[in-house]
Amino acid sequence: MPNLRKKIVAFATAVTLVAWLVPAAPVAAVTADELRAQIEALQQQLAELQAQLTALEGEEEAVAGECLCTFTRNLYPGMTGDDVKCLQQYLNSAGFKLADSGPGSPGNETTYFGSLTRAAVKAWQDANGVEYGEYWGYFGPKSRAKYDEICAAAPGEEEEEEEEEEEEEEEEEIGEGLTVALAEDTPVASVLLGNQIRAPLLKVVFTNGDEEDGKVTEIKVKRIGISKDGTLDALYLLDEDGNRIGDENVFIDGEATFKDTAGLFTVPAGGKKAIIVAGDVASDQSGYTIGASVVDVKGTFTALNATFPISGNLMSIATDLETTVKYDSDSKSEQTSEVQAGKTDVIVWKGTLTPDAKVKVSSLAFKGIGNITPSDLKNYRVYLAGSQVGSAVEMGSNYLVKVDVSDNPVTLTSGAKELKVIADVVSGTGRNVYFEFYPDETVITDAELGVGIALTGGDADWETIEISGASAQLTVAADSPVSVATTTDALVAKYTLEVFGERAKFTKFVATSSDAALSSVEIYVNGAKVGTKNTVGDGTEIEASPVFYVDAGSSVTIEVKADTTSYASSTINLSLQVEGESKTTASVVAGPTEVVLDVTPAEFTAAFANAPDSFLAIAGEEAWVAKYKFTAKGSEATLKTLKFDDPLADISGLTVKFGTSSYPAVFEDGQWVVKDIDFTVPAGKTKIGDVYLTFRPVSSGTDGLNASTTLAKMSYSQAGKDYEDEEVNESSNLVYVYQAIPEVTALTTGTTASLNKGVPTTITLYKWQVKAVGGGINATSATTTIALEKAGASATTTLTNFKVYKDEVDITDKLNISTTTIGADVTSTTIVITASSTNLDILEIATAGDSITLELKADVKGEDDASYVKAYLTEDYTWNDGLKDVTDKGSLVKGLPTKPYQNTVIK
């Protein structure tokens, strides 16, 4: 049914145009009777089509568009949202367009309900009988109800599926061979202008039902309408991208035959191809009508399925198009310019494009003429009025260079504009080419009328380019090294060798090491070694054995390796030249090209990393005792063996860990030896090795011994050499091993709330927890020392009545406290707390993992504003691990020393 409507519109337009043209002055060779006969035929066909349309669809009560919206709210001017956009889309599809172009037009709907939306809603309401009173353009409950009613009556999904199935069945009905039919989007009847080019007349679809590709070899086109052979200056076939197919043609006795025994075009097996019949309208053709019909097709198919003639719509011809565009080159093709292969950004055509009115450029085309191959020149770029048109393109097999910007045409104003084409010459030694502007594939339209403009020219040709002999270029690769270690087989340079013009054979290198001679130099081409080892000094020649070839437009990677272990300078300045020949060029030379890189002596070191600090360890457990750092300079190093002096403590094992990998040691000849490590440290990197000791259970003879690890020697390989038992002698901090140790946690830190001035207040000076780790600890002779500090305007704060609580129980009477009163004149002192002689176990923690909480309190009275009292545990912390008193390791107890706890006194 849509196709039927299109035909009715087309015929109605044609009838109107012909009727409009009848009163005009008669054109020679066209009589009034002929015009009347043509009009009567068109009117009769229009009446028949209208009758068919009425019978098929009847009267439509409402206009329905695409029912894709769900409205959940009323819509009115000023609102925004996706439902507003959907409403606009529905109105546009239902025939109530908001605008022909710009915001709101089909494809440019917005989310804003403005005046355009309101007007379209009103028109829709009027057409569908929606009562709105004074609130016209308000899409409220009545409008939403009408929308739902219309959409409910529209064809549903099942009907659409049935239609799709019918269409598929129709497609499946296409038999074997070639089917030729009129395209649904064949050009509608319209008005053409004299001098218009590429005027589309007819679109035909060719469908191949065979199992193999087929070629259309002949298409016969007949002229229809009131016209003559000369009404069109030229006739041609276009594909859907606007490219010409075959040569142009003209009507002779009303017919034109496009023929090519090799095939005008190919239709793939099971596929389709659409072809447009277009023509250039001659001048002074006003009053004629013109159209085209396909009357015969031939090709390499098993059968032909078509009903001829296949006719397009009639086009009327009005006045002549006045806009012109002129092209002209800057030089003649007789001039010659020699260009060496490999040169980039070569101008291959230069001239002007001069429109006399505003135009739009959709494509520009140039053709190469000469004996080059399409791949000899690459990367064509077209510049118009100083700006590049589209992207870079390549030459087609038909030697055409075409830039298509039909999706985003370039607008030109009147006046001369420079037109230039540049390209890169890749190959083609001994060949030549010149380019000409190619108007047949250049599409320029009038910016206002939108019709094709014929191009007129001065000179289309530009100068001839002669491509000279082969050339080569040697450049330093982006990943060529900038520094090298003192090592064997070191990569010292990396190059890219590129050849242009023609294939070249390379036979020799010339290398120079300016600061000092490089030994054991080897050259590799794409990973394969070329030649033997050499010592390179000034201008050393190295024969390429075997010789190697590089094709035109291709490149190879050249690597230079050398032994730098004895290099006498801290910097390598190496230049390389590559020499060879080609078929037409006796000497092809690339370079010399220099690289400069630093020489870094290879070195591998090990050192104690100052961690951990000295600490208390538990006998019978494994402990992390040292962190060593291993650094490779100049070249990567692989660690093989580590040797540690025997620690003083009684240990049962030593392990080194690199990340998650563990390497246990064995005890040999008085040392702990870690073998078969095979751990690699990259050049310029540092890796960490952690050392763990396993302590045997302690005895009374070893309790309290200190332990340390001393990395005495290491073996490794670096820069092609093996190093055995290299001296290190790096020692860790001391670790003290006991049967059991305390762990202290401060429970009072920071600052308390303020106290009242002059009022004695019992406060907590310090509170802490002691936990036994590894075994029981006791305080038979233990000493706890708490430091006190006072401050204020005159330090008059006093402390009396000291008390100690264990797990919130007052045990003061079971202890000895070194002082009971601190006077106002004392600014700092210490309080020593020990168990009394009759309560030696009062501070004992008998079981590992258990803990006690201790708290020191006193009565404090402050007489000065902002005075305070601070308290904290000191390093003079003594305990007994069951075997001995530990009197000098308090600073290593975990939790000591702690931050002071401050009590503040204000008024």
Side-chain angles (χ1 to χ4, degrees), residues 330-556:
D330 285 352
S331 62
K332 301 280 189 178
S333 62
E334 289 78 9
Q335 294 176 317
T336 301
S337 174
E338 185 176 84
V339 176
Q340 188 176 39
K343 186 172 178 59
T344 60
D345 298 335
V346 176
I347 298 176
V348 299
W349 196 93
K350 185 179 178 184
T352 56
L353 204 61
T354 308
D356 62 2
K358 189 176 182 181
V359 299
K360 290 190 176 182
V361 179
S362 296
S363 66
L364 291 166
F366 302 83
K367 194 157 192 174
I369 300 172
N371 60 0
I372 65 166
T373 66
S375 60
D376 285 339
L377 277 70
K378 298 277 190 181
N379 194 28
Y380 290 87
R381 285 142 289 160
V382 178
Y383 290 84
L384 180 57
S387 298
Q388 185 172 346
V389 179
S391 303
V393 296
E394 303 301 335
M395 176 182 281
S397 58
N398 57 357
Y399 289 83
L400 199 64
V401 175
K402 182 177 180 180
V403 175
D404 189 337
V405 288
S406 54
D407 290 339
N408 187 25
V410 177
T411 300
L412 292 182
T413 56
S414 61
K417 307 293 188 298
E418 183 185 72
L419 180 60
K420 180 174 64 174
V421 185
I422 63 175
D424 301 336
V425 180
V426 176
S427 57
T429 295
R431 299 173 184 154
N432 63 77
V433 64
Y434 71 88
F435 285 83
E436 65 175 14
F437 182 76
Y438 202 63
D440 287 352
E441 290 293 340
T442 295
V443 179
I444 301 178
T445 57
D446 185 284
E448 294 183 357
L449 300 175
V451 298
I453 301 171
L455 278 71
T456 60
D459 292 323
D461 304 339
W462 210 63
E463 65 183 31
T464 299
I465 296 173
E466 297 280 357
I467 303 176
S468 60
S471 65
Q473 185 177 28
L474 187 68
T475 57
V476 179
D479 57 345
S480 184
V482 295
S483 63
V484 63
T486 50
T487 182
T488 58
D489 198 34
L491 177 65
V492 296
K494 189 173 182 181
Y495 298 92
T496 298
L497 174 64
E498 191 171 7
V499 171
F500 307 97
E502 60 182 336
R503 189 179 193 223
K505 177 178 73 174
F506 293 95
T507 58
K508 184 172 64 177
F509 301 93
V510 179
T512 297
S513 177
S514 58
D515 290 343
L518 267 176
S519 62
S520 299
V521 173
E522 292 181 309
I523 298 178
Y524 294 77
V525 177
N526 282 352
K529 186 163 64 173
V530 176
T532 58
K533 290 185 177 181
N534 287 266
T535 298
V536 170
D538 184 8
T540 303
E541 295 188 355
I542 303 173
E543 296 297 323
S545 178
V547 297
F548 62 95
Y549 295 83
V550 184
D551 290 330
S554 300
S555 63
V556 295

Side-chain angles (χ1 to χ4, degrees), residues 455-729:
L455 278 71
T456 60
D459 292 323
D461 304 339
W462 210 63
E463 65 183 31
T464 299
I465 296 173
E466 297 280 357
I467 303 176
S468 60
S471 65
Q473 185 177 28
L474 187 68
T475 57
V476 179
D479 57 345
S480 184
V482 295
S483 63
V484 63
T486 50
T487 182
T488 58
D489 198 34
L491 177 65
V492 296
K494 189 173 182 181
Y495 298 92
T496 298
L497 174 64
E498 191 171 7
V499 171
F500 307 97
E502 60 182 336
R503 189 179 193 223
K505 177 178 73 174
F506 293 95
T507 58
K508 184 172 64 177
F509 301 93
V510 179
T512 297
S513 177
S514 58
D515 290 343
L518 267 176
S519 62
S520 299
V521 173
E522 292 181 309
I523 298 178
Y524 294 77
V525 177
N526 282 352
K529 186 163 64 173
V530 176
T532 58
K533 290 185 177 181
N534 287 266
T535 298
V536 170
D538 184 8
T540 303
E541 295 188 355
I542 303 173
E543 296 297 323
S545 178
V547 297
F548 62 95
Y549 295 83
V550 184
D551 290 330
S554 300
S555 63
V556 295
T557 298
I558 297 177
E559 294 177 307
V560 182
K561 296 183 179 181
D563 183 351
T564 58
T565 54
S566 302
Y567 194 71
S569 175
S570 61
T571 303
I572 294 177
N573 292 75
L574 175 68
S575 66
L576 187 71
Q577 179 173 299
V578 190
E579 299 180 1
E581 60 186 23
S582 70
K583 185 177 180 179
T584 62
T585 306
S587 177
V588 178
V589 179
T593 305
E594 185 181 52
V595 296
V596 179
L597 62 165
D598 296 328
V599 180
T600 305
E603 183 181 13
F604 188 57
T605 59
F608 176 58
N610 300 317
D613 293 331
S614 295
F615 66 99
L616 303 173
I618 305 299
E621 296 182 359
E622 181 184 67
W624 169 53
V625 297
K627 182 190 294 287
Y628 287 91
K629 55 184 179 181
F630 299 87
T631 303
K633 297 180 180 179
S635 177
E636 70 174 23
T638 301
L639 186 61
K640 301 293 186 181
T641 304
L642 295 174
K643 293 183 178 180
F644 294 87
D645 288 343
D646 188 26
L648 298 177
D650 193 3
I651 67 171
S652 60
L654 182 150
T655 301
V656 177
K657 296 182 180 180
F658 289 95
T660 58
S661 299
S662 297
Y663 302 91
V666 295
F667 191 69
E668 294 179 352
D669 300 327
Q671 287 184 314
W672 289 91
V673 183
V674 186
K675 301 179 179 180
D676 302 324
I677 298 175
D678 199 30
F679 180 78
T680 299
V681 180
K685 300 293 183 180
T686 296
K687 296 294 183 179
I688 297 297
D690 294 309
V691 181
Y692 291 80
L693 297 180
T694 302
F695 299 105
R696 289 194 174 96
V698 77
S699 65
S700 60
T702 60
D703 190 34
L705 286 182
N706 61 327
S708 68
T709 58
T710 299
L711 177 55
K713 297 178 179 180
M714 65 178 178
S715 299
Y716 61 93
S717 61
Q718 187 182 36
K721 292 184 179 181
D722 293 327
Y723 299 86
E724 298 293 334
D725 288 341
E726 291 290 302
E727 296 285 343
V728 179
N729 292 323

Side-chain angles (χ1 to χ4, degrees), residues 160-173:
E160 292 176 357
E161 290 175 0
E162 290 176 2
E163 291 177 1
E164 290 175 0
E165 291 175 1
E166 290 175 1
E167 291 175 1
E168 291 175 359
E169 289 175 1
E170 289 178 2
E171 291 180 0
E172 292 173 359
E173 289 174 3

